[in-house]
Amino acid sequence: MPPRSVRQSPDCSIIALDKFIQATRDSGYEGTASAVSELVDNSIQAGAKAIEIRISPNDDESSLELSVLDDGCGMDLKTLRQALRFGGSTRFGDRTGLGRYGMGLPNASLSQARRVVVQTWQSPPRSRGQAGGRKLTPARFSSYLDVDEILRGDLVEVPASKEFTAKSTTGTSPSGTLVRWVKCDRLDNRRKSTIARKLDRELGRRFRHYLWGGLQITVNGERVIPHDPLYLHPKSKVSGAKLFGDELRYEIRADPSSPASTGWVRVRFSELPVHDWHRLSNQDKRQLGISKGAGVSVIRAGREVDHGWFFMGAKHRENYDDWWRCEIQFDPALDEAFGITHTKQRIRPQAHLIDALTPDIEATARALNAR
């Protein structure tokens, strides 16, 4: 026993890990679809062409397990370990893709499950002296995070990546990543069919531009069909609207005090076919997303980050506003101007952006409402 005069110094680490993990599980994500979208972002940034999402019971059927499998470039053992760290991205601050902060994989996963396991593999480089075209086995690495182990103090850093050989659960692509949410305790619903239905709807809208571009997403074997809230695209679930007016373009400063960095904002409006659709029943209008669907879809780098009543000035939402839609696309250089959050779920536009966009958007909204 140490002498009474020797006092144990208090823990002054930057993060109280056990409390941080519990707090971060409650922060940031509005639901399961938002959290899954983070994993889809990672897959897209890894160059995936096909993303397979599955919801199934755990082995003991006490809870559900959710997995996301892609055919992207995969990770080496060092990158995998960094990817499971909060803020550990190898692309921190990079605006060329969908992610910037390195929070998506660990934060999204632990917001829904008590354990996340990641398995990843890459195509091995073919040596010049390789004879006969013999196939090389890709190196497969795995690591994890576990809330309960962290709370007990058994896990204080991301476990070193371990090599694994089984490929029965990781598909047949030469490279890729499988993320498994085990012991899911915070999914939106307990029924896998309900979760699958909500994911189909949300992912179809958020990633519609990527789906139109050839990306394939499946949920429990069913292909996600893009949903265009403007009802313009012929490959959307429902279409038939028409463009209203010309596309508006604005060059906006990222920082209002500095002209050095600017980005482009593109705005377009659509008008729904009132004469063809107004006789639909209220139930059909709800199912098609017409009723209470008015507003602006905000797109960053081809991915929807928010949907709401933005840049409308003094105009309030009315019933007639169900019959038109607006989409705003902006360059990632304007993240600060749009006040984009690290979870990519909502925007908080800055004053100079509001001043630039509101006059035209409000005027067009009033003109469409009057029609």
Side-chain angles (χ1 to χ4, degrees):
M1 186 173 180
R4 290 174 179 262
S5 59
V6 178
R7 294 185 178 179
Q8 212 170 18
S9 61
D11 182 4
C12 295
S13 57
I14 298 295
I15 295 175
L17 188 56
D18 57 337
K19 298 178 178 61
F20 169 79
I21 286 297
Q22 294 181 80
T24 197
R25 299 193 77 206
D26 295 325
S27 65
Y29 294 94
E30 296 173 349
T32 299
S34 296
V36 171
S37 295
E38 286 281 7
L39 303 190
V40 174
D41 287 342
N42 291 343
S43 296
I44 291 173
Q45 196 145 2
K49 303 299 182 185
I51 302 170
E52 179 182 322
I53 302 168
R54 290 204 169 272
I55 309 109
S56 58
N58 275 332
D59 293 338
D60 60 2
E61 298 191 355
S62 61
S63 61
L64 293 177
E65 175 177 316
L66 189 148
S67 65
V68 178
L69 170 67
D70 70 45
D71 62 352
C73 64
M75 294 177 277
D76 59 27
L77 75 172
K78 180 180 178 181
T79 304
L80 169 58
R81 202 175 183 191
Q82 288 297 312
L84 282 167
R85 294 180 63 215
F86 289 85
S89 173
T90 57
R91 299 186 290 257
F92 188 87
D94 180 9
R95 296 177 190 257
T96 60
L98 295 175
R100 282 181 55 199
Y101 301 106
M103 298 289 286
L105 174 56
N107 202 21
S109 299
L110 297 187
S111 77
Q112 304 293 307
R114 302 190 73 82
R115 182 180 178 91
V116 54
V117 180
V118 182
Q119 297 174 328
T120 188
W121 61 102
Q122 293 183 315
S123 301
R126 188 178 294 274
S127 63
R128 290 185 179 180
Q130 184 180 350
R134 178 171 55 87
K135 288 185 178 180
L136 295 173
T137 303
R140 299 172 178 269
F141 299 103
S142 177
S143 190
Y144 73 97
L145 290 176
D146 189 291
V147 171
D148 298 309
E149 291 185 23
I150 294 171
L151 294 179
R152 291 196 304 266
D154 297 336
L155 194 66
V156 295
E157 61 180 26
V158 177
S161 305
K162 294 183 179 180
E163 191 166 358
F164 70 99
T165 56
K167 62 178 182 179
S168 58
T169 61
T170 56
T172 58
S173 61
S175 61
T177 297
L178 172 66
V179 179
R180 293 173 54 221
W181 292 350
V182 187
K183 297 188 291 185
C184 292
D185 60 341
R186 296 195 172 191
L187 299 177
D188 289 346
N189 302 92
R190 294 184 178 182
R191 294 173 62 91
K192 66 177 185 179
S193 59
T194 304
I195 296 171
R197 186 171 63 252
K198 290 185 176 181
L199 286 177
D200 174 74
R201 182 176 64 248
E202 292 293 321
L203 299 181
R205 192 190 74 245
R206 291 180 188 180
F207 295 98
R208 59 187 183 269
H209 289 276
Y210 286 96
L211 293 168
W212 292 326
L215 175 68
Q216 179 176 310
I217 303 176
T218 59
V219 179
N220 279 0
E222 297 293 326
R223 192 162 182 169
V224 172
I225 305 300
H227 169 60
D228 181 8
L230 273 67
Y231 301 92
L232 289 170
H233 203 284
K235 292 184 179 180
S236 182
K237 285 184 178 179
V238 185
S239 61
K242 294 182 179 180
L243 277 173
F244 181 81
D246 297 326
E247 180 181 86
L248 306 175
R249 292 175 61 88
Y250 306 84
E251 187 173 14
I252 304 294
R253 291 182 180 181
D255 181 350
S257 64
S258 171
S261 177
T262 64
W264 285 97
V265 177
R266 295 165 293 281
V267 182
R268 59 179 184 152
F269 293 85
S270 68
E271 188 173 24
L272 278 59
V274 179
H275 294 291
D276 295 333
W277 291 0
H278 81 280
R279 291 188 180 89
L280 294 172
S281 67
N282 290 334
Q283 181 179 355
D284 287 340
K285 289 177 182 176
R286 285 194 296 270
Q287 289 179 344
L288 294 176
I290 298 171
S291 299
K292 299 181 180 179
V296 179
S297 174
V298 183
I299 306 291
R300 176 195 184 270
R303 194 262 218 208
E304 185 179 271
V305 293
D306 208 345
H307 186 281
W309 197 251
F310 302 112
F311 308 107
M312 296 296 176
K315 188 193 179 320
H316 299 292
R317 183 160 23 193
E318 303 171 78
N319 289 338
Y320 286 136
D321 293 318
D322 284 342
W323 294 101
W324 62 269
R325 298 289 189 273
C326 178
E327 181 183 82
I328 295 176
Q329 297 196 43
F330 71 93
D331 295 337
L334 298 178
D335 281 353
E336 285 78 11
F338 276 84
I340 189 77
T341 64
H342 74 84
T343 58
K344 298 184 287 294
Q345 294 176 113
R346 60 179 65 92
I347 62 169
R348 298 185 178 89
Q350 301 301 302
H352 73 289
L353 181 68
I354 294 173
D355 292 342
L357 301 187
T358 296
D360 290 337
I361 292 179
E362 180 182 358
T364 306
R366 290 186 183 279
L368 280 161
N369 177 278
R371 288 169 64 88

